[in-house]
Amino acid sequence: MRNNIRTTIILVVMLCWIGKPFSVLASSDSFSPVDYVNPLIGSQSTYELSTGNTYPAIALPWGMNFWVPQTGKMGDGWAYTYTANKIRGFKQTHQPSPWINDYGQFSIMPVVGSPVFNEEKRASWFSHKSEISKPYYYKAYLADHDVVTEIAPTERAAMFRFTFPQNDSSFVVIDAFDKGSYIRIIPGENKIIGYTTKNSGGVPDNFKNYFVITFDKPFTYKYTFADGALKTAQEQTADHVGAVIGFKTTKGEIVHAKVASSFISFEQASLNLKELDNDSFDQVAAKGKAAWNKVLSKIEVEGGSLDQYRTFYSCMYRSLLFPRKFYELDATGNIVHYSPFNGQVLPGYLYTDSGFWDTFRCLFPFLNLMYPSTNKEIQEGLINVYKESGFFPEWASPGHRGCMVGNNSASILVDAYMKGVKVTDLETLYKGLIHGTENVHPTVSSTGRLGYEYYNKLGYVPYDVNIKENAARTLEYAYDDWCIYKLAKELKRPKKEIDLFAKRAMNYKNLFDKETKLMRGKNADGKFMAPFSPLKWGDAFTEGNSWHYTWSVFHDPQGLIDLMGGKDVFVNMLDSVFAVPPVFDASYYGQVIHEIREMQIMNMGNYAHGNQPIQHMIYLYNYAGQPWKAQYWLREVMNRMYTCNPDGYCGDEDNGQTSAWYVFSSLGFYPVCPGTDEYVLGAPLFKKATVHFENGNKLVINAPENSDKNRYIEAMTLNGKTYTKNYLKHADLQNGGEINIRMSETPNKQRGTQKEDFPYSFSVNEKK
């Protein structure tokens, strides 16, 4: 017995020392990356402190409908929190963020004893110890009802499996939620249909989410609810309706429910229900698992710890949820969508639920690199949004929403085009980009360009004209103008047009304050705003301060280096972000917002990785000839700010952006400037990564000496040739091959220090 135990221990130690996932060691054919995914990461969040502000999304990649165990009250943006101990129902959700909240929502809840509808009274205690959460499968034991609930999703449908106790009074509650809903019980078909209109904005007046639910057991009890009152009528329309159906069950009896929804009609919801086909519950779950493994196995990582595998693939899972499909397949198989922009049912693709202020930075570049066919559909959907609303979206959920700043649809559209993901209607693409520079949406001021009149005339949005977050807008508009310049040049537009956007791309210079070497708000008369506190959050900036936003010159870091006075000063300013204590001025908000608190508690100075504006900053060391500092700090961020636990993020996860940052950085490169064909180098986290591209090519990244101590690049080859540059080209990656990196415990301060090794900067590479 002792020998067997000793042998087992030695085997486990050897496997851990080798550092490969058990499944990889067993056989590459059995590699199942979804088994490392923990959908609960980031769910231990509150209004005051975000550790992700996520919920366990039980869904397929980019699926139209997600499901979530609902612990929060109806209408609460925090639908599921890890610290909760009761489940109120299992909710169909489309929520991209608690701050944006939800739409197209209703819930299903099994209960026993009495047909209770009220969410407080029907709620049941549960434990994480009896909870299983996978992207393709969820299971919870509802202790107060002695019922096990399981869910397996498809893109637009799901199957529930309820295991009931012996009971004469077993029920299932369907809650269509308030703000206008409809329910109808059809006993002869064991069916319930209904619709919900509950939303938080971004929808026309005729918006409805139609749902169809069928059971495999006849109803012996069937009542409806309308605004809290139990009704015998089988059909109800009111502010808040629902249904309770019931039956007698034996101990351990299983009841299945099939559910689907549509934004188009009941008939379309019934078509969507066919996604379940005649599959058993286990078959639905197995197909879901296969769907996730198909997309996750595009990147295989080896030579890390178990926690690193879990963090990596959990981040990858989060990177493949949003934007979600908002289109459906009609009876003839045609792609159609309900337009949340004009209320019509129209042909073509549509995706939604993404805030471009967050996701332009690396989520969309990740899709361009790894899943271009999916992003082609997303891009075609953006063309449809412009045709249906007159604007490209900036924050959509499901229609235009008032949130954040910038005109970053330009980045998303142009980066895709420059990476070969090209829409069919190029004329409309370019027309829409130009339109966005000269207009602002009449009712949603974050769509288009608020302050464009000032910006186009003065070269910046003034601080004193009652337009909030003006400096942030200016910096982002300048980058967006560079994106348009790139496309205009590619399309051989008139020189006058190309020159206009080239000039506007340099508008970032108008806000640079030589005295502080930081970006600063400027009044309409050309004078800088005063008094100026670099540590003041908000005001001229968006959810950050000048120390965070000064680096938002994605397209021209060398221009920023020149403004600061050269590489040494630039590097000193970068270093200062980590050296400055985590002090802050929250007076603009009147309270310490969660983004500030997340920076304060991370013990990394004023570096605020929990929010997006600074997430590219560390990579800027590469532009100043000190790439080893990027290698050091990137590993610090990956080690200290990401875990595979419920508190695993250091701020809002934000529709895949903060997750995609980890995926890119783990591979050892990052798209600092979407719109270029370059990825700026960091250093890989794993000893080996194999990247499978859609074109059939394979890239292997080897770093066998990699360890927590050996975090620096000593030397590097690309396909056998010595490689000293601080960036990789998109085409070189897509062509496949092999990157070999020798890692070291000490930095190589000779590599990547020459100008020819530095990544793209507009003022160096193109601007004369």
Side-chain angles (χ1 to χ4, degrees), residues 410-682:
S411 173
I412 284 165
L413 288 155
V414 171
D415 186 55
Y417 185 88
M418 300 302 286
K419 301 279 177 59
V421 183
K422 299 181 179 181
V423 298
T424 304
D425 190 352
L426 189 56
E427 181 180 349
T428 297
L429 165 61
Y430 192 77
K431 178 182 176 182
L433 290 175
I434 301 302
H435 179 79
T437 69
E438 300 170 343
N439 293 274
V440 62
H441 194 283
T443 58
V444 183
S445 64
S446 60
T447 301
R449 290 191 182 182
L450 184 63
Y452 71 90
E453 305 96 331
Y454 296 104
Y455 176 83
N456 292 347
K457 180 180 178 181
L458 301 175
Y460 60 95
V461 181
Y463 178 82
D464 58 347
V465 295
N466 201 31
I467 296 177
K468 296 178 179 179
E469 302 168 6
N470 37 81
R473 296 179 194 276
T474 298
L475 293 170
E476 295 193 28
Y477 293 168
Y479 161 67
D480 298 329
D481 280 334
W482 173 85
C483 291
I484 297 172
Y485 154 80
K486 290 292 287 185
L487 185 61
K489 188 177 178 182
E490 182 78 10
L491 300 180
K492 296 179 172 57
R493 300 292 299 180
K495 184 177 184 300
K496 183 178 179 181
E497 203 169 292
I498 295 171
D499 290 346
L500 172 65
F501 288 102
K503 179 182 178 182
R504 288 180 179 174
M506 306 304 281
N507 281 343
Y508 71 89
K509 292 186 176 183
N510 295 329
L511 296 189
F512 185 78
D513 174 22
K514 293 181 180 179
E515 181 183 348
T516 61
K517 296 181 174 59
L518 294 168
M519 296 296 176
R520 182 173 177 178
K522 182 179 282 187
N523 294 327
D525 63 3
K527 296 178 181 178
F528 283 114
M529 50 80 68
F532 173 57
S533 169
L535 298 173
K536 186 175 183 178
W537 281 61
D539 198 15
F541 300 99
T542 301
E543 293 182 359
N545 60 34
S546 183
W547 274 110
H548 306 143
Y549 249 100
T550 290
W551 316 106
S552 294
V553 187
F554 313 97
H555 57 296
D556 196 22
Q558 184 59 51
L560 184 59
I561 290 171
D562 294 340
L563 289 174
M564 287 188 176
K567 292 187 295 182
D568 291 342
V569 179
F570 183 79
V571 168
N572 184 58
M573 292 292 286
L574 287 171
D575 292 344
S576 296
V577 173
F578 301 105
V580 172
V583 292
F584 55 85
D585 176 351
S587 60
Y588 175 77
Y589 298 107
Q591 61 176 323
V592 179
I593 61 172
H594 75 91
E595 290 90 350
I596 295 176
R597 190 69 73 202
E598 289 140 19
M599 177 200 74
Q600 182 194 30
I601 65 177
M602 289 302 165
N603 192 26
M604 206 174 277
N606 240 257
Y607 181 74
H609 190 81
N611 213 19
Q612 281 65 40
I614 207 168
Q615 287 183 353
H616 69 292
M617 185 215 85
I618 294 175
Y619 285 93
L620 297 184
Y621 283 109
N622 285 279
Y623 295 77
Q626 296 193 25
W628 58 89
K629 287 189 175 179
Q631 294 157 24
Y632 172 82
W633 284 112
L634 290 168
R635 185 66 66 91
E636 287 296 294
V637 173
M638 285 187 277
N639 284 350
R640 292 162 56 181
M641 296 195 177
Y642 291 81
T643 76
C644 56
N645 303 315
D647 64 346
Y649 294 100
C650 56
D652 286 353
E653 192 280 329
D654 283 326
N655 309 133
Q657 164 59 29
T658 302
S659 291
W661 185 96
Y662 185 90
V663 174
F664 266 124
S665 296
S666 296
L667 295 177
F669 51 87
Y670 182 83
V672 167
C673 183
T676 67
D677 62 348
E678 294 179 1
Y679 303 86
V680 180
L681 279 179

Side-chain angles (χ1 to χ4, degrees), residues 373-389:
S373 60
T374 295
N375 203 29
K376 175 68 158 55
E377 295 180 1
I378 296 171
Q379 300 297 311
E380 294 290 355
L382 293 177
I383 299 297
N384 288 330
V385 173
Y386 176 72
K387 290 178 177 178
E388 293 160 24
S389 73

Side-chain angles (χ1 to χ4, degrees), residues 195-351:
Y195 65 70
T196 174
T197 68
K198 188 174 181 64
N199 67 84
S200 301
V203 300
D205 292 339
N206 68 347
F207 167 81
K208 293 181 177 67
N209 183 233
Y210 302 88
F211 58 83
V212 176
I213 307 169
T214 63
F215 291 82
D216 62 354
K217 186 176 179 66
F219 310 151
T220 56
Y221 183 97
K222 41 192 182 298
Y223 282 82
T224 57
F225 278 83
D227 297 334
L230 184 67
K231 305 282 187 178
T232 57
Q234 303 294 281
E235 187 173 19
Q236 297 291 340
T237 305
D239 177 69
H240 185 185
V241 305
V244 181
I245 55 94
F247 18 67
K248 181 185 294 186
T249 55
T250 58
K251 183 179 181 180
E253 182 174 353
I254 292 174
V255 176
H256 293 92
K258 296 181 177 181
V259 54
S261 72
S262 167
F263 295 102
I264 295 173
S265 66
F266 285 121
E267 293 76 17
Q268 183 63 48
S270 294
L271 286 174
N272 294 344
L273 195 65
K274 293 182 179 180
E275 288 184 353
L276 295 167
D277 199 15
N278 293 316
D279 290 342
S280 67
F281 181 91
D282 291 336
Q283 287 172 322
V284 175
K287 286 183 176 180
K289 181 176 183 179
W292 275 108
N293 274 333
K294 181 179 180 181
V295 295
L296 293 173
S297 63
K298 294 295 182 183
I299 304 177
E300 300 177 63
V301 294
E302 305 174 47
S305 69
L306 180 58
D307 279 359
Q308 286 171 335
Y309 298 136
R310 287 171 172 166
T311 304
F312 181 86
Y313 285 111
S314 296
C315 282
M316 201 168 167
Y317 148 77
R318 288 279 167 200
S319 301
L320 304 177
L321 290 170
F322 300 103
R324 76 168 76 250
K325 294 175 180 177
F326 203 74
Y327 68 84
E328 306 175 50
L329 302 176
D330 68 14
T332 58
N334 292 318
I335 294 167
V336 295
H337 65 270
Y338 165 81
S339 173
F341 304 97
N342 62 22
Q344 300 177 32
V345 177
L346 297 166
Y349 290 107
L350 192 69
Y351 284 70

Side-chain angles (χ1 to χ4, degrees), residues 108-163:
I108 300 173
M109 180 69 176
V111 300
V112 299
S114 61
V116 60
F117 182 75
N118 179 278
E119 67 172 350
E120 300 281 353
K121 295 178 180 178
R122 74 186 184 223
S124 171
W125 281 78
F126 81 110
S127 168
H128 297 300
K129 295 178 178 64
S130 60
E131 178 187 42
I132 299 175
S133 181
K134 299 288 184 182
Y136 58 89
Y137 171 76
Y138 182 83
K139 178 181 180 180
Y141 174 63
L142 304 177
D144 289 305
H145 304 299
D146 193 22
V147 175
V148 172
T149 297
E150 299 167 274
I151 309 171
T154 66
E155 288 187 338
R156 299 169 187 85
M159 188 179 294
F160 281 72
R161 182 162 68 186
F162 304 111
T163 303

